[in-house]
Amino acid sequence: MRVDIVSIFPEYLEPLRLSLVGKAVDAGIIDLHLHDLRAYTRDRHRTVDDTPYGGGPGMVMSPVPWGEALDHVRADEPSVRPTLVVPTPSGRPFRQATAQEWSDRDWLVFACGRYEGIDARVVDHFSGREDWDGVCEVSIGDYVLAGGEAAVLVMVEAVARLLPGVLGNENSAREDSFAPGEMAERVEGPVFTKPPQWRDLHVPDVLLSGHHGNIEQWRRAQADARTAERRPDLLGD
Ligand code: JA5
């Protein structure tokens, strides 16, 4: 899968070269390209923002460098149609199912906004083009960030771990134990490792018993209790 990320802070995305995603990059499973939006400006001050039409606080990212940058990225691989992803708190929710859908795509291009966001005509323009495979405005949660970069780190990691060869063979097996194409309908309970006593805390006896039926039943009960306490939204009515 090819992944391109355009940002005024491309160094913010360098951690994608570490850890699990970094290994996928090193293995050639992800072809990662980071771009500095300011490289696509033409003025002396490399301006990427301007005042909002209609007034109001802050600045808006100009469509001009965004158009230049995205046209340039697009032209690098004429035979593949990329999906454009724009993180924004007003986007559709990014979920595990979104990560699964995107893990089948050949090319994702992420556009990281800053300030009050990107001029809305950028999304309109690239939505209507047949050399692009659609535009997705997505939110990773109901909080405000200073820009799209942190959200892109989250989304690329969520997609990368689903790609064949990234986690190893536990990958498909694990995901299959969940409901079709979705996250588990409950959160997981607590986990433990050695030593069996640490400070004044003991590992629950059932986990040391070797009785796999009891262990499975206990874990299910722990997951249910934790889900009811912390994520009642997952349980419906
Ligand atoms: C802020 C200019 O889903 C949480 C998000 C917050 C946020 C995102 S996604 N993008 C931006 C942004 O600010 O581009």
Side-chain angles (χ1 to χ4, degrees):
M1 163 183 279
R2 177 164 171 165
V3 173
D4 287 67
I5 306 169
V6 185
S7 166
I8 61 169
F9 298 119
E11 321 85 69
Y12 200 116
L13 289 309
E14 288 289 343
L16 292 173
R17 303 194 191 280
L18 304 174
S19 187
L20 176 116
V21 181
K23 286 195 182 83
V25 172
D26 291 343
I29 297 168
I30 295 175
D31 180 21
L32 178 67
H33 298 257
L34 306 181
H35 307 269
D36 183 352
L37 180 68
R38 291 194 198 277
Y40 300 92
T41 58
R42 291 162 186 274
D43 66 308
R44 278 181 6 98
H45 300 288
R46 308 214 298 166
T47 311
V48 294
D49 62 339
D50 209 332
T51 53
Y53 276 123
M59 300 290 272
V60 172
M61 290 190 113
S62 165
V64 178
W66 275 111
E68 295 292 323
L70 294 172
D71 285 350
H72 181 267
V73 168
R74 173 69 196 89
D76 198 44
E77 193 107 59
S79 65
V80 185
R81 291 165 71 237
T83 299
L84 180 60
V85 178
V86 184
T88 167
S90 59
R92 300 175 191 276
F94 175 83
R95 300 199 172 94
Q96 188 63 24
T98 319
Q100 276 163 359
E101 286 168 31
W102 291 357
S103 68
D104 277 328
R105 308 217 177 180
D106 295 317
W107 190 2
L108 300 174
V109 177
F110 293 90
C112 299
R114 282 269 151 177
Y115 316 112
E116 301 304 312
I118 303 172
D119 186 299
R121 290 171 292 181
V122 173
V123 164
D124 288 346
H125 174 79
F126 290 97
S127 302
R129 295 193 56 93
E130 61 190 23
D131 54 343
W132 287 80
D133 188 14
V135 179
C136 307
E137 290 183 276
V138 289
S139 166
I140 62 161
D142 294 337
Y143 34 79
V144 180
L145 301 172
E149 287 82 2
V152 170
L153 291 175
V154 167
M155 293 188 280
V156 171
E157 181 165 316
V159 171
R161 59 181 291 289
L162 300 176
L163 297 174
V166 173
L167 278 189
N169 281 342
E170 84 251 47
N171 198 349
S172 44
R174 249 191 89 86
E175 229 66 48
D176 281 349
S177 74
F178 295 146
E182 263 300 329
M183 268 278 272
E185 68 287 353
R186 59 172 63 74
V187 297
E188 303 252 344
V191 296
F192 301 88
T193 186
K194 292 178 278 299
Q197 182 186 347
W198 175 72
R199 302 197 173 174
D200 62 339
L201 299 171
H202 293 258
V203 173
D205 283 335
V206 64
L207 296 180
L208 311 177
S209 70
H211 192 306
H212 298 301
N214 287 354
I215 290 170
E216 196 182 352
Q217 198 178 13
W218 181 85
R219 283 185 171 150
R220 169 68 67 114
Q222 290 286 310
D224 286 345
R226 189 178 266 193
T227 304
E229 186 62 33
R230 301 181 182 179
R231 296 296 306 276
D233 58 299
L234 293 180
L235 295 174
D237 307 301

